[in-house]
Amino acid sequence: MKPIVVHPRIDFMLYAMDAVVNQAAKWSHMTGGQAHPSMTIRGIINRGGEQGAQHSQALQAWFAHIPGLRVVMPATVADARDLLIASVLCKDPVVYIDDRWLYDQTDDLPPVIEFDLRLERPRCLRLGSDLTIVGSSYSTRLALNAAEELEKLGISAEVIDLRVLNPFHSEEVVTSVTKTGRLLAVDGGWGPCGIASEVLAVTVQHINPANFKSSPSRVTLPFAPAPTARNLEKTYYPDTNSVVRASLNLMSS
Amino acid sequence: MIEKRTTYNYGTAILAAFEYLLEKYPEVFVIGQGLWSPWYVGNSMTDLDKKFGKQRVIDTPVAESACTGAALWQA
């Protein structure tokens, strides 16, 4: 069977960590590839709306840390559909994470094509030459919005959408930052040991320091649980302006 | 020839993926909390239980570990 488990809030999926991390992620490895739990676990990120700290988390980094799992985070309407299908058809356990803040995005899609998830990688959604902004899920949306604002200021931003966080593919990011010399990583989770950390790490690992025109930087949540009050939520969550400001800092440093 | 395109939002694109999978692959089933009244997931799961039956779209008690473990065993 090919089950799809739906966790309406990724926060409460933590109750299922043993099944996901100790069982699903390990079976193929421990049985020498004889058992493939072909299951998809959909976890929904449900931020804002004065729901408070226990209903608002973006925990993608936890699952991206575990070998044996695949983690996908669609940012576009096309990926929302086609990466879910690819996840379910994949032989491995997949954590598919969608963010409710993206639900209003619209697009015209061609008929379904079945993709092999193992071949899906990060994608460049916008070409640019001055800096590279890397995001996933809603952060990619912020990166695209910021790139438009930056263009009005004469700054050309390239936007890379990670799409698949586990296994983590670094090639597209490294190629882009080698070209632009500047990196801003944007993530909807916390900074320490998060996805943005990994994006920064692979670039400093693989790119000659002389190629960097400024130190790589990141936009993440403040390192604190989410607030409940609406006015505090507004300052807590990064928005397009946060990404524009961080980009301008990179350009002037 | 112009390719036929359909307008979706992110939520209905997810719904379209569920419908595609449940229609084409009899081995696919969905399990989780509130799947028979999925108001909290936008329009991403609307009426799946009515279209594909309550045996394949299973509403569970508030027991994340149990439903994930049960699904894992089925995989």
Side-chain angles (χ1 to χ4, degrees), chain B residues 40-63:
Chain B
Y40 46 81
V41 291
N43 41 21
S44 71
M45 306 199 73
T46 308
D47 286 345
L48 284 179
D49 57 320
K50 293 185 185 76
K51 260 188 204 158
F52 298 100
K54 288 177 165 29
Q55 280 81 38
R56 294 184 70 200
V57 180
I58 304 165
D59 198 325
T60 69
V62 184

mmCIF file with all atom_site columns, all heavy atoms in Angstrom, chain B residues 40-63:
data_model
loop_
_atom_site.group_PDB
_atom_site.id
_atom_site.type_symbol
_atom_site.label_atom_id
_atom_site.label_alt_id
_atom_site.label_comp_id
_atom_site.label_asym_id
_atom_site.label_entity_id
_atom_site.label_seq_id
_atom_site.pdbx_PDB_ins_code
_atom_site.Cartn_x
_atom_site.Cartn_y
_atom_site.Cartn_z
_atom_site.occupancy
_atom_site.B_iso_or_equiv
_atom_site.pdbx_formal_charge
_atom_site.auth_seq_id
_atom_site.auth_comp_id
_atom_site.auth_asym_id
_atom_site.auth_atom_id
_atom_site.pdbx_PDB_model_num
ATOM 1   N N   . TYR B 1 40 ? -9.650  22.975 8.082  1.00 0.00 ? 40 TYR B N   1
ATOM 2   C CA  . TYR B 1 40 ? -8.440  23.673 8.521  1.00 0.00 ? 40 TYR B CA  1
ATOM 3   C C   . TYR B 1 40 ? -7.296  23.530 7.518  1.00 0.00 ? 40 TYR B C   1
ATOM 4   O O   . TYR B 1 40 ? -6.193  23.965 7.775  1.00 0.00 ? 40 TYR B O   1
ATOM 5   C CB  . TYR B 1 40 ? -8.000  23.115 9.874  1.00 0.00 ? 40 TYR B CB  1
ATOM 6   C CG  . TYR B 1 40 ? -8.041  21.618 9.840  1.00 0.00 ? 40 TYR B CG  1
ATOM 7   C CD1 . TYR B 1 40 ? -6.993  20.915 9.271  1.00 0.00 ? 40 TYR B CD1 1
ATOM 8   C CD2 . TYR B 1 40 ? -9.183  20.921 10.252 1.00 0.00 ? 40 TYR B CD2 1
ATOM 9   C CE1 . TYR B 1 40 ? -7.070  19.555 9.124  1.00 0.00 ? 40 TYR B CE1 1
ATOM 10  C CE2 . TYR B 1 40 ? -9.258  19.565 10.119 1.00 0.00 ? 40 TYR B CE2 1
ATOM 11  C CZ  . TYR B 1 40 ? -8.199  18.882 9.546  1.00 0.00 ? 40 TYR B CZ  1
ATOM 12  O OH  . TYR B 1 40 ? -8.291  17.537 9.381  1.00 0.00 ? 40 TYR B OH  1
ATOM 13  N N   . VAL B 1 41 ? -7.532  22.879 6.382  1.00 0.00 ? 41 VAL B N   1
ATOM 14  C CA  . VAL B 1 41 ? -6.456  22.734 5.393  1.00 0.00 ? 41 VAL B CA  1
ATOM 15  C C   . VAL B 1 41 ? -6.824  23.461 4.101  1.00 0.00 ? 41 VAL B C   1
ATOM 16  O O   . VAL B 1 41 ? -6.490  23.034 3.007  1.00 0.00 ? 41 VAL B O   1
ATOM 17  C CB  . VAL B 1 41 ? -6.116  21.249 5.097  1.00 0.00 ? 41 VAL B CB  1
ATOM 18  C CG1 . VAL B 1 41 ? -5.464  20.621 6.303  1.00 0.00 ? 41 VAL B CG1 1
ATOM 19  C CG2 . VAL B 1 41 ? -7.342  20.467 4.684  1.00 0.00 ? 41 VAL B CG2 1
ATOM 20  N N   . GLY B 1 42 ? -7.521  24.591 4.253  1.00 0.00 ? 42 GLY B N   1
ATOM 21  C CA  . GLY B 1 42 ? -7.941  25.356 3.082  1.00 0.00 ? 42 GLY B CA  1
ATOM 22  C C   . GLY B 1 42 ? -8.865  24.496 2.227  1.00 0.00 ? 42 GLY B C   1
ATOM 23  O O   . GLY B 1 42 ? -9.734  23.784 2.749  1.00 0.00 ? 42 GLY B O   1
ATOM 24  N N   . ASN B 1 43 ? -8.652  24.528 0.917  1.00 0.00 ? 43 ASN B N   1
ATOM 25  C CA  . ASN B 1 43 ? -9.469  23.680 0.045  1.00 0.00 ? 43 ASN B CA  1
ATOM 26  C C   . ASN B 1 43 ? -8.656  22.506 -0.480 1.00 0.00 ? 43 ASN B C   1
ATOM 27  O O   . ASN B 1 43 ? -8.942  21.948 -1.521 1.00 0.00 ? 43 ASN B O   1
ATOM 28  C CB  . ASN B 1 43 ? -10.037 24.518 -1.104 1.00 0.00 ? 43 ASN B CB  1
ATOM 29  C CG  . ASN B 1 43 ? -8.992  25.487 -1.632 1.00 0.00 ? 43 ASN B CG  1
ATOM 30  O OD1 . ASN B 1 43 ? -7.787  25.267 -1.428 1.00 0.00 ? 43 ASN B OD1 1
ATOM 31  N ND2 . ASN B 1 43 ? -9.418  26.541 -2.307 1.00 0.00 ? 43 ASN B ND2 1
ATOM 32  N N   . SER B 1 44 ? -7.610  22.125 0.254  1.00 0.00 ? 44 SER B N   1
ATOM 33  C CA  . SER B 1 44 ? -6.677  21.136 -0.278 1.00 0.00 ? 44 SER B CA  1
ATOM 34  C C   . SER B 1 44 ? -7.143  19.681 -0.132 1.00 0.00 ? 44 SER B C   1
ATOM 35  O O   . SER B 1 44 ? -6.510  18.780 -0.658 1.00 0.00 ? 44 SER B O   1
ATOM 36  C CB  . SER B 1 44 ? -5.293  21.303 0.368  1.00 0.00 ? 44 SER B CB  1
ATOM 37  O OG  . SER B 1 44 ? -5.321  20.898 1.711  1.00 0.00 ? 44 SER B OG  1
ATOM 38  N N   . MET B 1 45 ? -8.266  19.451 0.611  1.00 0.00 ? 45 MET B N   1
ATOM 39  C CA  . MET B 1 45 ? -8.736  18.066 0.753  1.00 0.00 ? 45 MET B CA  1
ATOM 40  C C   . MET B 1 45 ? -10.259 17.957 0.676  1.00 0.00 ? 45 MET B C   1
ATOM 41  O O   . MET B 1 45 ? -10.833 16.943 1.075  1.00 0.00 ? 45 MET B O   1
ATOM 42  C CB  . MET B 1 45 ? -8.268  17.498 2.101  1.00 0.00 ? 45 MET B CB  1
ATOM 43  C CG  . MET B 1 45 ? -6.773  17.616 2.308  1.00 0.00 ? 45 MET B CG  1
ATOM 44  S SD  . MET B 1 45 ? -6.134  16.526 3.578  1.00 0.00 ? 45 MET B SD  1
ATOM 45  C CE  . MET B 1 45 ? -6.260  14.971 2.721  1.00 0.00 ? 45 MET B CE  1
ATOM 46  N N   . THR B 1 46 ? -10.904 18.977 0.108  1.00 0.00 ? 46 THR B N   1
ATOM 47  C CA  . THR B 1 46 ? -12.362 19.045 0.127  1.00 0.00 ? 46 THR B CA  1
ATOM 48  C C   . THR B 1 46 ? -13.011 17.850 -0.580 1.00 0.00 ? 46 THR B C   1
ATOM 49  O O   . THR B 1 46 ? -12.671 17.529 -1.723 1.00 0.00 ? 46 THR B O   1
ATOM 50  C CB  . THR B 1 46 ? -12.825 20.356 -0.549 1.00 0.00 ? 46 THR B CB  1
ATOM 51  O OG1 . THR B 1 46 ? -12.122 21.439 0.065  1.00 0.00 ? 46 THR B OG1 1
ATOM 52  C CG2 . THR B 1 46 ? -14.318 20.572 -0.398 1.00 0.00 ? 46 THR B CG2 1
ATOM 53  N N   . ASP B 1 47 ? -13.931 17.181 0.132  1.00 0.00 ? 47 ASP B N   1
ATOM 54  C CA  . ASP B 1 47 ? -14.780 16.113 -0.425 1.00 0.00 ? 47 ASP B CA  1
ATOM 55  C C   . ASP B 1 47 ? -14.041 14.859 -0.885 1.00 0.00 ? 47 ASP B C   1
ATOM 56  O O   . ASP B 1 47 ? -14.616 14.029 -1.599 1.00 0.00 ? 47 ASP B O   1
ATOM 57  C CB  . ASP B 1 47 ? -15.631 16.643 -1.598 1.00 0.00 ? 47 ASP B CB  1
ATOM 58  C CG  . ASP B 1 47 ? -16.771 17.533 -1.094 1.00 0.00 ? 47 ASP B CG  1
ATOM 59  O OD1 . ASP B 1 47 ? -17.057 17.493 0.126  1.00 0.00 ? 47 ASP B OD1 1
ATOM 60  O OD2 . ASP B 1 47 ? -17.351 18.275 -1.917 1.00 0.00 ? 47 ASP B OD2 1
ATOM 61  N N   . LEU B 1 48 ? -12.786 14.696 -0.507 1.00 0.00 ? 48 LEU B N   1
ATOM 62  C CA  . LEU B 1 48 ? -12.070 13.468 -0.906 1.00 0.00 ? 48 LEU B CA  1
ATOM 63  C C   . LEU B 1 48 ? -12.779 12.226 -0.373 1.00 0.00 ? 48 LEU B C   1
ATOM 64  O O   . LEU B 1 48 ? -12.876 11.208 -1.055 1.00 0.00 ? 48 LEU B O   1
ATOM 65  C CB  . LEU B 1 48 ? -10.623 13.493 -0.386 1.00 0.00 ? 48 LEU B CB  1
ATOM 66  C CG  . LEU B 1 48 ? -9.630  14.380 -1.134 1.00 0.00 ? 48 LEU B CG  1
ATOM 67  C CD1 . LEU B 1 48 ? -8.269  14.303 -0.466 1.00 0.00 ? 48 LEU B CD1 1
ATOM 68  C CD2 . LEU B 1 48 ? -9.533  13.999 -2.611 1.00 0.00 ? 48 LEU B CD2 1
ATOM 69  N N   . ASP B 1 49 ? -13.301 12.320 0.866  1.00 0.00 ? 49 ASP B N   1
ATOM 70  C CA  . ASP B 1 49 ? -13.980 11.152 1.456  1.00 0.00 ? 49 ASP B CA  1
ATOM 71  C C   . ASP B 1 49 ? -15.256 10.814 0.694  1.00 0.00 ? 49 ASP B C   1
ATOM 72  O O   . ASP B 1 49 ? -15.603 9.647  0.511  1.00 0.00 ? 49 ASP B O   1
ATOM 73  C CB  . ASP B 1 49 ? -14.273 11.408 2.944  1.00 0.00 ? 49 ASP B CB  1
ATOM 74  C CG  . ASP B 1 49 ? -15.112 12.650 3.177  1.00 0.00 ? 49 ASP B CG  1
ATOM 75  O OD1 . ASP B 1 49 ? -14.881 13.667 2.486  1.00 0.00 ? 49 ASP B OD1 1
ATOM 76  O OD2 . ASP B 1 49 ? -16.014 12.608 4.048  1.00 0.00 ? 49 ASP B OD2 1
ATOM 77  N N   . LYS B 1 50 ? -15.952 11.844 0.192  1.00 0.00 ? 50 LYS B N   1
ATOM 78  C CA  . LYS B 1 50 ? -17.200 11.590 -0.545 1.00 0.00 ? 50 LYS B CA  1
ATOM 79  C C   . LYS B 1 50 ? -16.891 10.977 -1.913 1.00 0.00 ? 50 LYS B C   1
ATOM 80  O O   . LYS B 1 50 ? -17.603 10.119 -2.409 1.00 0.00 ? 50 LYS B O   1
ATOM 81  C CB  . LYS B 1 50 ? -17.990 12.887 -0.704 1.00 0.00 ? 50 LYS B CB  1
ATOM 82  C CG  . LYS B 1 50 ? -18.491 13.394 0.644  1.00 0.00 ? 50 LYS B CG  1
ATOM 83  C CD  . LYS B 1 50 ? -19.387 14.616 0.508  1.00 0.00 ? 50 LYS B CD  1
ATOM 84  C CE  . LYS B 1 50 ? -19.755 15.164 1.877  1.00 0.00 ? 50 LYS B CE  1
ATOM 85  N NZ  . LYS B 1 50 ? -18.633 15.923 2.504  1.00 0.00 ? 50 LYS B NZ  1
ATOM 86  N N   . LYS B 1 51 ? -15.815 11.407 -2.541 1.00 0.00 ? 51 LYS B N   1
ATOM 87  C CA  . LYS B 1 51 ? -15.463 10.901 -3.876 1.00 0.00 ? 51 LYS B CA  1
ATOM 88  C C   . LYS B 1 51 ? -14.853 9.509  -3.830 1.00 0.00 ? 51 LYS B C   1
ATOM 89  O O   . LYS B 1 51 ? -15.107 8.687  -4.707 1.00 0.00 ? 51 LYS B O   1
ATOM 90  C CB  . LYS B 1 51 ? -14.437 11.843 -4.519 1.00 0.00 ? 51 LYS B CB  1
ATOM 91  C CG  . LYS B 1 51 ? -15.059 12.809 -5.508 1.00 0.00 ? 51 LYS B CG  1
ATOM 92  C CD  . LYS B 1 51 ? -13.978 13.583 -6.251 1.00 0.00 ? 51 LYS B CD  1
ATOM 93  C CE  . LYS B 1 51 ? -14.557 14.882 -6.760 1.00 0.00 ? 51 LYS B CE  1
ATOM 94  N NZ  . LYS B 1 51 ? -13.538 15.891 -7.025 1.00 0.00 ? 51 LYS B NZ  1
ATOM 95  N N   . PHE B 1 52 ? -14.027 9.256  -2.830 1.00 0.00 ? 52 PHE B N   1
ATOM 96  C CA  . PHE B 1 52 ? -13.250 8.016  -2.857 1.00 0.00 ? 52 PHE B CA  1
ATOM 97  C C   . PHE B 1 52 ? -13.590 7.065  -1.706 1.00 0.00 ? 52 PHE B C   1
ATOM 98  O O   . PHE B 1 52 ? -13.016 5.986  -1.613 1.00 0.00 ? 52 PHE B O   1
ATOM 99  C CB  . PHE B 1 52 ? -11.749 8.344  -2.850 1.00 0.00 ? 52 PHE B CB  1
ATOM 100 C CG  . PHE B 1 52 ? -11.335 9.129  -4.058 1.00 0.00 ? 52 PHE B CG  1
ATOM 101 C CD1 . PHE B 1 52 ? -11.170 10.505 -3.993 1.00 0.00 ? 52 PHE B CD1 1
ATOM 102 C CD2 . PHE B 1 52 ? -11.145 8.497  -5.281 1.00 0.00 ? 52 PHE B CD2 1
ATOM 103 C CE1 . PHE B 1 52 ? -10.806 11.240 -5.111 1.00 0.00 ? 52 PHE B CE1 1
ATOM 104 C CE2 . PHE B 1 52 ? -10.786 9.214  -6.410 1.00 0.00 ? 52 PHE B CE2 1
ATOM 105 C CZ  . PHE B 1 52 ? -10.624 10.589 -6.330 1.00 0.00 ? 52 PHE B CZ  1
ATOM 106 N N   . GLY B 1 53 ? -14.507 7.454  -0.859 1.00 0.00 ? 53 GLY B N   1
ATOM 107 C CA  . GLY B 1 53 ? -14.988 6.554  0.186  1.00 0.00 ? 53 GLY B CA  1
ATOM 108 C C   . GLY B 1 53 ? -14.205 6.667  1.479  1.00 0.00 ? 53 GLY B C   1
ATOM 109 O O   . GLY B 1 53 ? -13.031 7.009  1.484  1.00 0.00 ? 53 GLY B O   1
ATOM 110 N N   . LYS B 1 54 ? -14.896 6.356  2.554  1.00 0.00 ? 54 LYS B N   1
ATOM 111 C CA  . LYS B 1 54 ? -14.292 6.506  3.881  1.00 0.00 ? 54 LYS B CA  1
ATOM 112 C C   . LYS B 1 54 ? -13.310 5.372  4.198  1.00 0.00 ? 54 LYS B C   1
ATOM 113 O O   . LYS B 1 54 ? -12.602 5.429  5.197  1.00 0.00 ? 54 LYS B O   1
ATOM 114 C CB  . LYS B 1 54 ? -15.400 6.577  4.939  1.00 0.00 ? 54 LYS B CB  1
ATOM 115 C CG  . LYS B 1 54 ? -16.166 7.915  4.907  1.00 0.00 ? 54 LYS B CG  1
ATOM 116 C CD  . LYS B 1 54 ? -17.295 7.919  5.911  1.00 0.00 ? 54 LYS B CD  1
ATOM 117 C CE  . LYS B 1 54 ? -17.898 9.265  6.240  1.00 0.00 ? 54 LYS B CE  1
ATOM 118 N NZ  . LYS B 1 54 ? -17.909 10.339 5.295  1.00 0.00 ? 54 LYS B NZ  1
ATOM 119 N N   . GLN B 1 55 ? -13.260 4.325  3.334  1.00 0.00 ? 55 GLN B N   1
ATOM 120 C CA  . GLN B 1 55 ? -12.238 3.287  3.533  1.00 0.00 ? 55 GLN B CA  1
ATOM 121 C C   . GLN B 1 55 ? -10.871 3.740  3.045  1.00 0.00 ? 55 GLN B C   1
ATOM 122 O O   . GLN B 1 55 ? -9.848  3.251  3.495  1.00 0.00 ? 55 GLN B O   1
ATOM 123 C CB  . GLN B 1 55 ? -12.611 1.989  2.791  1.00 0.00 ? 55 GLN B CB  1
ATOM 124 C CG  . GLN B 1 55 ? -13.616 1.114  3.509  1.00 0.00 ? 55 GLN B CG  1
ATOM 125 C CD  . GLN B 1 55 ? -15.027 1.624  3.285  1.00 0.00 ? 55 GLN B CD  1
ATOM 126 O OE1 . GLN B 1 55 ? -15.353 2.081  2.192  1.00 0.00 ? 55 GLN B OE1 1
ATOM 127 N NE2 . GLN B 1 55 ? -15.858 1.557  4.315  1.00 0.00 ? 55 GLN B NE2 1
ATOM 128 N N   . ARG B 1 56 ? -10.877 4.651  2.077  1.00 0.00 ? 56 ARG B N   1
ATOM 129 C CA  . ARG B 1 56 ? -9.588  5.096  1.510  1.00 0.00 ? 56 ARG B CA  1
ATOM 130 C C   . ARG B 1 56 ? -9.196  6.483  2.006  1.00 0.00 ? 56 ARG B C   1
ATOM 131 O O   . ARG B 1 56 ? -8.069  6.910  1.798  1.00 0.00 ? 56 ARG B O   1
ATOM 132 C CB  . ARG B 1 56 ? -9.654  5.093  -0.017 1.00 0.00 ? 56 ARG B CB  1
ATOM 133 C CG  . ARG B 1 56 ? -9.817  3.693  -0.598 1.00 0.00 ? 56 ARG B CG  1
ATOM 134 C CD  . ARG B 1 56 ? -9.780  3.740  -2.104 1.00 0.00 ? 56 ARG B CD  1
ATOM 135 N NE  . ARG B 1 56 ? -8.460  4.063  -2.629 1.00 0.00 ? 56 ARG B NE  1
ATOM 136 C CZ  . ARG B 1 56 ? -8.249  4.533  -3.847 1.00 0.00 ? 56 ARG B CZ  1
ATOM 137 N NH1 . ARG B 1 56 ? -9.274  4.768  -4.648 1.00 0.00 ? 56 ARG B NH1 1
ATOM 138 N NH2 . ARG B 1 56 ? -7.032  4.791  -4.253 1.00 0.00 ? 56 ARG B NH2 1
ATOM 139 N N   . VAL B 1 57 ? -10.147 7.176  2.617  1.00 0.00 ? 57 VAL B N   1
ATOM 140 C CA  . VAL B 1 57 ? -9.839  8.485  3.207  1.00 0.00 ? 57 VAL B CA  1
ATOM 141 C C   . VAL B 1 57 ? -10.274 8.376  4.663  1.00 0.00 ? 57 VAL B C   1
ATOM 142 O O   . VAL B 1 57 ? -11.440 8.535  5.001  1.00 0.00 ? 57 VAL B O   1
ATOM 143 C CB  . VAL B 1 57 ? -10.574 9.612  2.456  1.00 0.00 ? 57 VAL B CB  1
ATOM 144 C CG1 . VAL B 1 57 ? -10.236 10.963 3.080  1.00 0.00 ? 57 VAL B CG1 1
ATOM 145 C CG2 . VAL B 1 57 ? -10.210 9.603  0.979  1.00 0.00 ? 57 VAL B CG2 1
ATOM 146 N N   . ILE B 1 58 ? -9.325  8.037  5.509  1.00 0.00 ? 58 ILE B N   1
ATOM 147 C CA  . ILE B 1 58 ? -9.636  7.572  6.865  1.00 0.00 ? 58 ILE B CA  1
ATOM 148 C C   . ILE B 1 58 ? -9.424  8.688  7.889  1.00 0.00 ? 58 ILE B C   1
ATOM 149 O O   . ILE B 1 58 ? -8.345  9.263  7.974  1.00 0.00 ? 58 ILE B O   1
ATOM 150 C CB  . ILE B 1 58 ? -8.740  6.361  7.227  1.00 0.00 ? 58 ILE B CB  1
ATOM 151 C CG1 . ILE B 1 58 ? -8.929  5.255  6.174  1.00 0.00 ? 58 ILE B CG1 1
ATOM 152 C CG2 . ILE B 1 58 ? -9.036  5.852  8.629  1.00 0.00 ? 58 ILE B CG2 1
ATOM 153 C CD1 . ILE B 1 58 ? -7.859  4.188  6.217  1.00 0.00 ? 58 ILE B CD1 1
ATOM 154 N N   . ASP B 1 59 ? -10.476 8.965  8.638  1.00 0.00 ? 59 ASP B N   1
ATOM 155 C CA  . ASP B 1 59 ? -10.428 9.973  9.704  1.00 0.00 ? 59 ASP B CA  1
ATOM 156 C C   . ASP B 1 59 ? -10.031 9.267  10.998 1.00 0.00 ? 59 ASP B C   1
ATOM 157 O O   . ASP B 1 59 ? -10.634 8.261  11.371 1.00 0.00 ? 59 ASP B O   1
ATOM 158 C CB  . ASP B 1 59 ? -11.824 10.608 9.822  1.00 0.00 ? 59 ASP B CB  1
ATOM 159 C CG  . ASP B 1 59 ? -11.781 11.931 10.569 1.00 0.00 ? 59 ASP B CG  1
ATOM 160 O OD1 . ASP B 1 59 ? -10.970 12.060 11.498 1.00 0.00 ? 59 ASP B OD1 1
ATOM 161 O OD2 . ASP B 1 59 ? -12.566 12.822 10.215 1.00 0.00 ? 59 ASP B OD2 1
ATOM 162 N N   . THR B 1 60 ? -9.013  9.769  11.675 1.00 0.00 ? 60 THR B N   1
ATOM 163 C CA  . THR B 1 60 ? -8.523  9.082  12.877 1.00 0.00 ? 60 THR B CA  1
ATOM 164 C C   . THR B 1 60 ? -8.812  9.895  14.135 1.00 0.00 ? 60 THR B C   1
ATOM 165 O O   . THR B 1 60 ? -9.067  11.091 14.061 1.00 0.00 ? 60 THR B O   1
ATOM 166 C CB  . THR B 1 60 ? -6.992  8.896  12.812 1.00 0.00 ? 60 THR B CB  1
ATOM 167 O OG1 . THR B 1 60 ? -6.368  10.182 12.928 1.00 0.00 ? 60 THR B OG1 1
ATOM 168 C CG2 . THR B 1 60 ? -6.552  8.249  11.525 1.00 0.00 ? 60 THR B CG2 1
ATOM 169 N N   . PRO B 1 61 ? -8.741  9.234  15.289 1.00 0.00 ? 61 PRO B N   1
ATOM 170 C CA  . PRO B 1 61 ? -8.765  9.981  16.551 1.00 0.00 ? 61 PRO B CA  1
ATOM 171 C C   . PRO B 1 61 ? -7.503  10.846 16.651 1.00 0.00 ? 61 PRO B C   1
ATOM 172 O O   . PRO B 1 61 ? -6.595  10.733 15.833 1.00 0.00 ? 61 PRO B O   1
ATOM 173 C CB  . PRO B 1 61 ? -8.733  8.888  17.619 1.00 0.00 ? 61 PRO B CB  1
ATOM 174 C CG  . PRO B 1 61 ? -9.071  7.623  16.927 1.00 0.00 ? 61 PRO B CG  1
ATOM 175 C CD  . PRO B 1 61 ? -8.653  7.790  15.502 1.00 0.00 ? 61 PRO B CD  1
ATOM 176 N N   . VAL B 1 62 ? -7.445  11.679 17.687 1.00 0.00 ? 62 VAL B N   1
ATOM 177 C CA  . VAL B 1 62 ? -6.270  12.520 17.913 1.00 0.00 ? 62 VAL B CA  1
ATOM 178 C C   . VAL B 1 62 ? -5.154  11.631 18.462 1.00 0.00 ? 62 VAL B C   1
ATOM 179 O O   . VAL B 1 62 ? -4.947  11.528 19.670 1.00 0.00 ? 62 VAL B O   1
ATOM 180 C CB  . VAL B 1 62 ? -6.604  13.669 18.881 1.00 0.00 ? 62 VAL B CB  1
ATOM 181 C CG1 . VAL B 1 62 ? -5.415  14.607 19.034 1.00 0.00 ? 62 VAL B CG1 1
ATOM 182 C CG2 . VAL B 1 62 ? -7.793  14.463 18.350 1.00 0.00 ? 62 VAL B CG2 1
ATOM 183 N N   . ALA B 1 63 ? -4.465  10.925 17.553 1.00 0.00 ? 63 ALA B N   1
ATOM 184 C CA  . ALA B 1 63 ? -3.448  9.955  17.952 1.00 0.00 ? 63 ALA B CA  1
ATOM 185 C C   . ALA B 1 63 ? -2.408  9.897  16.840 1.00 0.00 ? 63 ALA B C   1
ATOM 186 O O   . ALA B 1 63 ? -2.383  8.978  16.028 1.00 0.00 ? 63 ALA B O   1
ATOM 187 C CB  . ALA B 1 63 ? -4.093  8.593  18.184 1.00 0.00 ? 63 ALA B CB  1
#
